[in-house]
Amino acid sequence: MKKFLFLFLSAIVFTSCEKSVEFNNPAFQGLIDGSVWKATSFSATKSVSGGITIKGIAAAGNVELNINSTALGTRVLGTTNTSNFASYTLNAFNYTTGITSSSVNKIALSAGGTGYTTSSLVLTSGGLGSGLKVDIVANTNGVVTSVLVNAPGNNYRAGDLVTIASGNANAKFVVQNVVNSNGEVTITQYDGVTISGNFKFTAYDAVTEKTVGCQNGIFYKIPVN
């Protein structure tokens, strides 16, 4: 029992030390399509308008995050706000979270409408695509208060305005981003000297129409120029 306890405590100490070493120094890394990506060189450049570009270079490809300001918080990628985007380049492939047509990923309610009841798989109309169905929650006054994607359809684009059928057909939502182009960048610390945060994205190559996914991304104490 004592031997087991000793090995257990040793493992905890080793893991803690390993994390401490990793994050005592600037770092820019993540998982790209399940494989570890870690920048061997990186930079963060602030523009005159207040936006910031974080670049990481590695043999496994280059990652670039563009953010509209250094304010703390989360930016959604793949939306009509093209000031916020991510890209990944490898050889001749250039993946980006730009505007493209695909199945719906994220939506935002813009008008609650009237005459609705809480329902699932509700039909929709409008936008450039087809086949999108949603689950809705309505209050006692028949106003939609929540909407979630159930069937994502296809060929929609960020910015599409979609109407929820049933009720009085006057509840609407906006497509924020799509399956082939989405993600988030969160700034957790900025002191005017370095910047830290986390990110994830799905980006597409317009030529090959292939996608790449990045998860668990971290940028830590990157010096800002």
Side-chain angles (χ1 to χ4, degrees), residues 70-89:
T70 54
L72 304 189
T74 299
R75 279 75 168 174
V76 179
L77 308 179
T79 72
T80 54
N81 182 358
T82 54
S83 297
N84 300 314
F85 71 91
S87 65
Y88 170 71
T89 56

Side-chain angles (χ1 to χ4, degrees), residues 14-27 38 220:
F14 176 78
T15 302
S16 299
C17 289
E18 189 176 46
K19 289 182 177 179
S20 177
V21 169
E22 181 177 358
F23 293 108
N24 273 340
N25 298 306
K38 187 171 184 178
Y220 180 74

Side-chain angles (χ1 to χ4, degrees), residues 98-115:
I99 303 297
T100 187
S101 298
S102 185
S103 302
V104 174
N105 178 66
K106 189 178 181 69
I107 59 179
L109 185 66
S110 59
T114 55

